Amino acid sequence: MLKVFFVLLFELTTIIIFSAILVSYLMRWDTQNKHSRFELFLLCLGLGPGVVSLIIYYLFLFIPQAGSLFYFVTVFVFFLCLAALNWRYLLKLNVNFYEGLDLNSQIDFSNIPPFPGIKRVTSIFNGAKIKFWIFLGLAGVFIYYWFKKVLNDPITGHDILEYAFQGKIFGDGMFIQYVKYRFDPDSNFFYVGLHGFSFPLLHAWERVVGNVLGVSSDLYFRSITGLYGFFILLVLFYFLNKRSFLLACFCIVLVYGTNGFRLTLTEYHIDTYRIYFLIGSFVFLGYFLKHQDMVSLVGFSLFAGLHSFSHSLGVFVSVFAFFSLFVFVKANLKERLRFALISIFIILLTGGIHYLLDSIIGTGWIFQELKYY
Amino acid sequence: MNFLLRKEFWLFVLYGSATAALIGFVYFLTLKTDYNKDYSLIYREIETPAKMILNGYLGQWFRFKTQGNLNWLVIPFLLKFFITWKSQENWKKGMVVTYLLAFCLIGAKGFFNTRYQITLFPLTLFLVCTFLWDFVNSKTFKPYKVLIYLGLIGLLAFNNFYSMFFNRSISVRQIKVKNVEKSFSFYKFSNEILEQIEAGATTMSEFIENVERVVQKTFRYIQAFLILSRSVNYELKWGKEVSYPSLKYIKENNWEGKFLVNNLPHFYYYTGKKGIYYWAGDDKFYFEGGQASLLTNRTLSQTSSFLLDSLACKYVFSLLEYNKYNPKFAEFLRAFAKPIFLDASEFIIYELQRDSGLYEVQPVIDSLKFRISKSTPPYFINLR
């Protein structure tokens, strides 16, 4: 059991490090210093698993059944090479959450509404740096609950089990083929999902790592919902904290208090994973329309591609976002076309290609009748 | 008391009252349940035209039960944004247009699924929070900040209260289990005990009272109101409360034939056995060459023979809930499938039979609902 737990920690740590390595490249390309380093890191915390699933996808597609060790080593070597080529920027990365989230200052009570007796209450905190403790309390509730759930509750939901089993098929078979009917002859399982493979491939990666390290578990796959839920909360908190710390806390309480999203955070499912990429693509789209810089364009396209790769809905939302990018960017037609081509290329590379292949030589994807289960 | 003389105050009162009335009206429209409609629509709470619009197409803003009741507050701010469109910055225009396009797409194609509707929730909440914050901090409404804040908190509190209250009626069974004992085990109610429980119960509260009275007297713990085979004499095997006793039961036993699996990937993930993937809702089973109908163009007897002889399928693994999606499938099970295992989560294993019989396994609560709903349907809103 202890070994399984350590493997989970290893997996979680490595994907955060992978994310950091990817962020260091965005920093490198940010030659005009338009972006805060901490903000880039925070926004891209969840890139690691998405990109790992993408690498595994291409490996299973082009170099099938090469053995778990091969895939394991290839992914690590890939990121090690990326890190080695950009180590200067990697070292400059700001991962200081205390400063980055502005938790080291006093709460500004000057702009809150004049509730009766509020001044008496706020005067108690004058001079006290309690932001960190309030934040820790809010985040701690979630983290505690989530770890307790991941370690105790097996996967039970219908959809997540579909993904998990398809991931198991990918991980054990170590190949991806485009076929009209996604049928597994060993179990007679029929994958009815029409979405990209990013999410199932997270479990495939877990099985690859498990095979190499000698454990069999789905803890990492279970932890994804909470992990990405936490990333969403962090991003929300970060941007609202720019206006007011109390507003940011209020928003987090609202999220906890809303049934649907609380369930989204607390039940194993793909939702937080795809919503995280949606939020990332929106943020970078906003920055791109504002600054017209390459980092924002690459960031937007990367997130939009991974959003597509995680879910069919992501394809359509990314198309709309791409439309806005083309229409609302302040540039001449030639520049717009250049931006559009770069963006399309990255979106295709980071997941869009799956849908092209699936439409042409696979299940038919968009040409199928959509069904609700 | 000078503020009572100010026009702005009364405008705010009017605005607040209109908001409260609108929220109340949305709740009113979305509370009614029409049991005569398609079960899958009832399950998703979009069976009436009003619910289809509010919970379905506009569910991202108005499905208060899951989305909270603050999201729709983004509407006035979006309207204001479009009124002042020309003075807005380009990047803001782009973001709002993208948001609305995504909203329309999810409304049109994802109205069926609350999970799709939650997609834009963090962004909507962010917009509502920032817009409201700026609004409250603007000079126009400065004297009434307190009221606005209290109003907001009131909205949230009301919604949570609403959700807690109505969720209770959805999961009466679970609530009873939690209230009485943490330990979980299953009991088979004899017909005599069932009759005692049902006797005189015309409302849900009376039913629960009867359960408590009769069952606590008879057993140490109350347990789910499941069970019973009224017409067939066979033995049901009850598992203890582990995650899925039925899956453990399948995994740990040898089976002579394949399972027809009614849309339950649990079977594949946890048992390692071979199944035939089927979904009763569409009456489709899946195989290497695609999909085909099981019951369409076949009589119940022919279906049984087809499963046993052509597909070498001797068992069915399903969920009581899922059986309801297809009345013909439920009828087939009643006639040709003998239940052999049922667990607390209502997963059920059947053994297929060549000869028809009457194999009834149903939650007691359903039979009661049926009986009572003829006279007092409102007591059973949301009770599935």
Side-chain angles (χ1 to χ4, degrees), chain A residues 113 154-156 158 161-162 165 181 186-188 218 243 257-260 267 271 274 282 324 328 372-373, chain B residues 44 66-67 90 95 98 109 115 119 134 149 160 163 243-244 263 265-266 268-270 275 277 279 286 289:
Chain A
I155 300 174
T156 52
H158 170 275
L161 280 165
E162 288 261 350
F165 194 70
Y181 304 108
D186 292 337
S187 61
N188 283 3
D218 56 11
R243 266 190 166 69
T258 305
N259 267 349
E267 282 181 0
D271 292 330
R274 67 184 177 82
F282 267 56
S324 295
F328 290 100
Y372 300 101
Y373 288 93
Chain B
R44 291 167 192 272
T66 54
Q67 307 275 330
N90 234 27
M95 297 307 293
T98 314
K109 286 289 177 188
R115 289 194 173 275
T119 304
D134 293 345
Y149 266 78
N160 280 1
S163 303
S243 288
Y244 289 123
N263 197 21
H266 314 60
Y268 299 95
Y269 192 74
Y270 286 113
Y277 210 104
W279 171 223
Y286 298 87

Side-chain angles (χ1 to χ4, degrees), chain B residues 154-172:
Chain B
L155 281 172
L156 176 71
F158 175 65
N159 186 65
N160 280 1
F161 174 75
Y162 163 84
S163 303
M164 282 164 64
F165 182 76
F166 283 97
N167 277 349
R168 186 182 179 279
S169 70
I170 291 170
S171 52
V172 169

Side-chain angles (χ1 to χ4, degrees), chain A residues 90-280:
Chain A
L90 195 57
L91 293 177
K92 286 181 190 169
L93 200 63
N94 177 8
V95 292
N96 189 335
F97 277 77
Y98 191 62
E99 282 180 4
L101 290 173
D102 188 26
L103 299 175
N104 57 352
S105 59
Q106 295 175 35
I107 301 175
D108 179 14
F109 290 109
S110 65
N111 60 352
I112 64 162
F115 290 112
I118 193 77
K119 282 191 177 172
R120 195 173 295 170
V121 177
T122 55
S123 63
I124 299 168
F125 300 109
N126 277 347
K129 293 183 177 179
I130 53 166
K131 276 186 180 179
F132 173 74
W133 297 107
I134 295 174
F135 173 79
L136 194 70
L138 285 171
V141 169
F142 182 80
I143 293 170
Y144 167 75
Y145 180 82
W146 188 253
F147 263 92
K148 195 170 159 238
K149 184 173 174 66
V150 166
L151 296 177
N152 290 304
D153 294 0
I155 300 174
T156 52
H158 170 275
D159 295 2
I160 187 86
L161 280 165
E162 288 261 350
Y163 293 121
F165 194 70
Q166 187 55 49
K168 192 177 173 185
I169 292 169
F170 284 146
D172 295 350
M174 296 181 204
F175 69 92
I176 288 175
Q177 270 183 337
Y178 282 94
V179 285
K180 180 115 182 93
Y181 304 108
R182 198 152 286 289
F183 178 81
D184 175 44
D186 292 337
S187 61
N188 283 3
F189 175 74
F190 194 99
Y191 183 61
V192 290
L194 295 172
H195 309 305
F197 293 148
S198 183
F199 198 60
L201 283 169
L202 295 178
H203 187 45
W205 169 245
E206 181 170 27
R207 293 189 79 80
V208 165
V209 174
N211 286 342
V212 173
L213 301 180
V215 295
S216 175
S217 142
D218 56 11
L219 284 180
Y220 170 67
F221 192 62
R222 289 189 213 174
S223 69
I224 290 295
T225 310
L227 190 68
Y228 279 84
F230 188 61
F231 293 161
I232 292 170
L233 292 177
L234 275 180
V235 172
L236 265 180
F237 183 88
Y238 173 78
F239 281 104
L240 287 171
N241 193 24
K242 285 184 171 182
R243 266 190 166 69
S244 158
F245 176 77
L246 292 173
L247 179 68
C249 293
F250 181 58
C251 183
I252 300 301
V253 174
L254 276 177
V255 171
Y256 288 169
T258 305
N259 267 349
F261 206 74
R262 190 173 58 237
L263 287 176
T264 304
L265 294 173
T266 53
E267 282 181 0
Y268 302 130
H269 212 278
I270 190 176
D271 292 330
T272 52
Y273 185 66
R274 67 184 177 82
I275 292 172
Y276 164 80
F277 287 118
L278 170 93
I279 291 173

